[in-house]
Amino acid sequence: MATSDAGRRILAYAGSTRNIAGCALALAGVALVFLGLAGTYWPVVVAGLYGVGALLAPADRVRLTISHAEVESRHLLADLDTLLANVAGNRFPDDVTTRVTALAGVLRDILRRADTLTSSPDHLHIVSQTIRDYLPSSLETYANLPRSHALTRRAERERSAHEELLAQLDLLDTQLRKVAESVYHGDEQALRDQGRFLQDRFGGSGLDL
């Protein structure tokens, strides 16, 4: 355990601003060596320049605060779990349960990206309202109807309550998938950028390293 902690600390320092600044000045010292300006004490010069860079570099910023979206995402995930437990305990038809489970999967995926939701309050609002208002309201209204009534159409062109509920769940699914697409857009763009970089780097020849 101690070795693991020490390794993590070493890796953290290796990527720190202080180490990068120290290495930059140390490289400048190496350049002085090649130019013949460092003299016989060049190791001291290089080490000293590293120390100066490490000491003068600003410390890495520490992030201890938790964003509103992160806190809200945790609460929403808990509310979603409660809603799903209520759905499971009320014996909804299988097609309703299947759609609600699919919706929950989309919602969970979105809520895992609290960092993106922080910069998109509109998306967070849609997700929040879906979990706490839109979805439970539709399900609750349906659950309070007698099963035989819910499955019966009132007129030839009028939906049954069951069909109406499925239509509402499909509408929510469509809207949430639009939110998810927007949330994932940044990752998709980063992946495309990485693909272009790799193509530029290695696309010409397998031996061009």
Side-chain angles (χ1 to χ4, degrees):
M1 181 64 70
T3 302
S4 178
D5 290 341
R8 283 195 292 268
R9 287 194 293 269
I10 292 172
L11 288 175
Y13 180 76
S16 69
T17 303
R18 293 185 185 279
N19 184 52
I20 293 172
C23 288
L25 281 185
L27 287 174
V30 172
L32 292 177
V33 172
F34 282 106
L35 292 174
L37 301 177
T40 57
Y41 297 101
W42 66 266
V44 177
V45 173
V46 173
L49 287 173
Y50 175 89
V52 170
L55 288 174
L56 295 181
D60 292 334
R61 298 184 65 182
V62 177
R63 181 179 177 272
L64 298 177
T65 57
I66 300 176
S67 71
H68 165 70
E70 289 175 303
V71 174
E72 185 68 358
S73 292
R74 296 174 188 174
H75 293 322
L76 287 170
L77 283 169
D79 291 343
L80 180 59
D81 288 338
T82 300
L83 177 60
L84 292 176
N86 290 335
V87 170
N90 279 282
R91 298 183 180 179
F92 284 91
D94 290 342
D95 52 0
V96 171
T97 302
T98 298
R99 280 173 168 79
V100 172
T101 301
L103 274 173
V106 176
L107 287 164
R108 289 184 192 281
D109 288 342
I110 295 172
L111 288 171
R112 290 191 185 101
R113 302 303 308 273
D115 54 339
T116 304
L117 290 175
T118 299
S119 59
S120 183
D122 289 342
H123 291 159
L124 181 59
H125 177 74
I126 291 173
V127 171
S128 174
Q129 288 297 99
T130 297
I131 294 174
R132 293 173 174 164
D133 184 7
Y134 306 149
L135 183 55
S137 293
S138 295
L139 294 170
E140 183 179 289
T141 303
Y142 177 86
N144 287 326
L145 291 171
R147 180 61 60 87
S148 59
H149 184 87
L151 297 174
T152 303
R153 288 190 174 188
R154 307 276 75 79
E156 183 179 349
R157 295 186 178 181
E158 186 177 349
R159 293 171 176 167
S160 66
H162 181 252
E163 292 170 333
E164 178 63 33
L165 175 61
L166 293 179
Q168 291 178 20
L169 294 177
D170 288 342
L171 184 60
L172 287 174
D173 182 80
T174 298
Q175 182 59 47
L176 287 173
R177 291 187 186 279
K178 290 180 181 178
V179 172
E181 183 178 350
S182 178
V183 167
Y184 301 144
H185 177 73
D187 287 341
E188 292 173 351
Q189 184 60 51
L191 184 61
R192 284 191 289 269
D193 291 343
Q194 176 68 1
R196 283 192 289 269
F197 165 77
L198 293 176
Q199 182 63 36
D200 291 343
R201 184 70 179 86
F202 303 114
S205 170
L207 299 177
D208 185 16
L209 300 177

